[in-house]
Amino acid sequence: MARNLEWRVGVELHEEAGRTKAEAHLDTGTATFTGHGSARCNPADTDVPVIGDELAASRAMKDLAGKLMREANREMEAVGAGTVPARTGPGYGWPEAVS
């Protein structure tokens, strides 16, 4: 069975007073998920806004990915399938990348 789907993902960033907040949104057409992330500039560091944007956005997307994985686990359990192990090892070099 061939399927073609398009899921829409967007990230909104808001920066104020050295703190960046991000929301990552996923719309699957049948469900929506939102992840949140934030970053702040250490007062002792040089303010480079793009770094705060990258950190906050990546944290929001990681939160979104976790919510999507938990939903997939719930759906797999509902049909009697095993779930993905909570810890499968490093995703791409950092142990904290998979949580």
Side-chain angles (χ1 to χ4, degrees), residues 54-71:
E54 293 165 346
L55 288 169
S58 66
R59 290 169 180 162
M61 288 187 280
K62 182 177 178 180
D63 183 45
L64 175 61
K67 290 178 179 180
L68 187 58
M69 180 62 75
R70 287 188 294 279
E71 179 62 20

Side-chain angles (χ1 to χ4, degrees), residues 6 39-40 46-47 77-78 87 90:
E6 182 174 335
R40 68 168 185 80
T46 302
D47 187 15
E77 287 175 348
R87 188 120 181 114

Side-chain angles (χ1 to χ4, degrees), residues 24-28 31-35 64 67-68 71 74-75:
H25 304 279
L26 168 64
D27 182 354
T28 69
T32 58
F33 299 89
T34 302
L64 175 61
K67 290 178 179 180
L68 187 58
E71 179 62 20
R74 279 192 290 277
E75 291 175 358

